[in-house]
Amino acid sequence: MIVSNTSSEANHHSVILGTDQPMPLDCGTMMRDISVSYNTYGTLNADKSNAVLVCHALTGDQYAASQQPLTGKDGWWTIMIGPGKVLDTNKYFIVCSNVLGGCMGTTGPKDINPETGKPYALDFPIITIGDMVRLQALLQDYLEIPDWFSVIGGSMGGMQVLEWASSYSERCFSVIPIATAAKHSAQNIAFHEVGRQAVMADPNWHGGHYQEQNSKPRAGLAVARMAAHVTYLSESALHRKFGRNLQDRDKLAYGFDADFQVESYLRYQGINFVDRFDPNSYLYITRAMDYFDLARDNGGSLAKAFEGADTRFCVVSFSSDWLFPTTESKEIVRALNAVAANVSFVEIETDKGHDAFLLDTPHMLETIGGFLQSTAQRRGIAA
């Protein structure tokens, strides 16, 4: 099956997978008839050698380079995807799907449980990064793409990339994990737990059954987003952008309104997030990240996770990223070196923090662009 479109436009798709044979989940249950929503950009070539899978982060979706329908804003990776860009849609066929447990068309906790006729809510099975990738592999089968030219993503997207390289190395010619780790740290689990507790403490959560009550824990989800967003930025970036500047006033109000610009910014981030994201999806997806641990899943050895992988790796980290610091990328590189994998690594100097992979970070664009160019030559993809 070849899906094609003009190089500068997105095609929006939805497909039901796991119909003939249910998909096993790591928690021990099975799922069938799973809806998957995905976008494609560019054209699949005749020998199907130019397909790139883009994996989105925690709060991302399949609208990587096209307008997000709920917000009307541009896609989250327009800096990377498009004609003449690093992920050149004149050259590559880009696929980006909403993850399992998401809330933009792929089956998740807000969808109807066929056994009850009501939203799954907390009856939705606990999912893992491995489950997300397993579903993406079913989508790859559906698209009849033998192997991806590259699998790329940052943060939680980078976790999916590493899972691909570990579990399906024969299905990916190259991988680019950005600003990520082979396991979620205790600090990051702690931040996620603060966010989950904020959602669940909101009286409008109703034990997860807010849809049936025609309500939504907006305040709790907004606080969760505010707390998480702080971790995406560096202290220097916050200082450069806001400092201690006051918001729309020339003196302190001596109250609890948003006196400072940084407070107003975080409130804006929280309020806008609740309009496009499902609270229960937030619980499930953060939990999936918490459970991610490639070494644990491979007998305690991270190197074993990549044994026999005939895949080209480009590992990217950022100097000011304290959420997924460079030390965690170096741990991945050491494991790859231990099994003589083909790996390149770069730490990019920037004060933009974890969010640098979503922003105009020239060294990142140059590094990934150069890696893809050399890999495309090896693959035999025309320039």
Side-chain angles (χ1 to χ4, degrees):
M1 160 180 235
I2 296 180
V3 182
S4 64
N5 52 272
T6 58
S7 61
S8 59
E9 298 178 355
N11 270 359
H12 312 294
H13 311 269
S14 184
V15 63
I16 305 296
L17 301 176
T19 300
D20 296 331
Q21 184 175 349
M23 189 184 81
L25 301 181
D26 287 336
C27 68
T29 64
M30 309 282 282
M31 286 193 75
R32 64 168 61 247
D33 299 331
I34 307 169
S35 177
V36 179
S37 289
Y38 64 101
N39 286 355
T40 62
Y41 311 85
T43 302
L44 189 62
N45 62 14
D47 62 2
K48 304 178 182 180
S49 63
N50 69 333
V52 175
L53 178 66
V54 170
C55 302
H56 71 73
L58 166 60
T59 62
D61 50 42
Q62 67 270 37
Y63 296 94
S66 47
Q67 188 180 75
Q68 217 278 359
L70 296 182
T71 65
K73 295 182 178 179
D74 290 340
W76 52 271
W77 230 10
T78 54
I79 193 69
M80 285 281 289
I81 302 171
K85 296 182 180 180
V86 172
L87 293 174
D88 189 347
T89 49
N90 291 321
K91 185 175 183 179
Y92 305 120
F93 177 65
I94 314 296
V95 179
C96 184
S97 64
N98 192 213
V99 297
L100 180 64
C103 53
M104 286 301 295
T106 295
T107 300
K110 74 180 182 65
D111 294 307
I112 299 299
N113 182 346
E115 295 183 4
T116 65
K118 298 178 180 179
Y120 277 103
L122 297 194
D123 288 333
F124 195 74
I126 295 296
I127 55 172
T128 65
I129 300 296
D131 295 329
M132 295 176 184
V133 170
R134 194 171 295 117
L135 183 59
Q136 291 166 350
L138 290 182
L139 177 61
Q140 183 185 24
D141 292 340
Y142 170 78
L143 294 173
E144 299 179 1
I145 295 172
D147 65 337
W148 302 108
F149 164 64
S150 195
V151 182
I152 181 171
S155 194
M156 187 187 84
M159 291 180 170
Q160 295 164 63
V161 172
L162 294 173
E163 181 68 32
W164 268 101
S166 176
S167 298
Y168 300 96
S169 62
E170 74 284 358
R171 288 178 173 235
C172 36
F173 189 75
S174 67
V175 295
I176 308 174
I178 309 169
T180 194
K183 65 177 180 296
H184 221 206
S185 69
Q187 175 180 259
N188 289 351
I189 294 170
F191 277 116
H192 276 173
E193 178 62 3
V194 169
R196 287 190 293 265
Q197 289 299 322
V199 171
M200 293 187 286
D202 189 318
N204 288 320
W205 186 60
H206 294 290
H209 298 283
Y210 46 87
Q211 287 175 266
E212 296 176 52
Q213 301 295 324
N214 196 31
S215 66
K216 188 174 185 178
R218 298 178 66 86
L221 185 59
V223 170
R225 172 62 170 173
M226 291 168 66
H229 198 76
V230 172
T231 70
Y232 304 153
L233 306 173
S234 68
E235 192 280 333
S236 57
L238 281 170
H239 179 75
R240 170 170 45 80
K241 192 169 185 177
F242 304 109
R244 289 181 53 84
N245 297 330
L246 299 181
Q247 177 68 29
D248 298 330
R249 63 193 67 192
D250 55 11
K251 61 182 180 179
L252 298 175
Y254 294 99
F256 297 104
D257 288 335
D259 271 9
F260 297 97
Q261 287 181 3
V262 67
E263 294 173 316
S264 179
Y265 170 75
L266 289 176
R267 292 184 187 191
Y268 171 83
Q269 291 292 330
I271 291 169
N272 280 272
F273 182 62
V274 301
D275 291 330
R276 68 174 180 86
F277 214 86
D278 176 66
N280 282 341
S281 280
Y282 192 85
L283 303 184
Y284 276 85
I285 296 175
T286 56
R287 196 42 136 185
M289 293 181 70
D290 293 348
Y291 283 166
F292 187 64
D293 187 340
L294 271 184
R296 178 203 60 205
D297 295 340
N298 288 274
S301 169
L302 183 56
K304 187 177 179 182
F306 303 116
E307 266 183 354
D310 187 22
T311 305
R312 292 166 62 88
F313 291 79
C314 179
V315 180
V316 180
S317 71
F318 301 103
S319 60
S320 56
D321 184 355
W322 58 276
L323 188 64
F324 289 95
T326 293
T327 52
E328 297 184 334
S329 289
K330 288 183 176 178
E331 182 182 5
I332 296 166
V333 173
R334 283 195 295 270
L336 290 168
N337 286 334
V339 294
N342 186 336
V343 56
S344 301
F345 165 67
V346 63
E347 179 190 37
I348 294 171
E349 290 290 332
T350 176
D351 72 349
K352 296 176 182 177
H354 182 63
D355 263 0
F357 79 95
L358 297 171
L359 305 174
D360 186 2
T361 307
H363 194 187
M364 176 190 72
L365 301 178
E366 293 166 4
T367 297
I368 297 174
F371 174 79
L372 287 174
Q373 183 176 358
S374 65
T375 304
Q377 290 172 351
R378 184 175 291 269
R379 178 79 158 180
I381 299 174

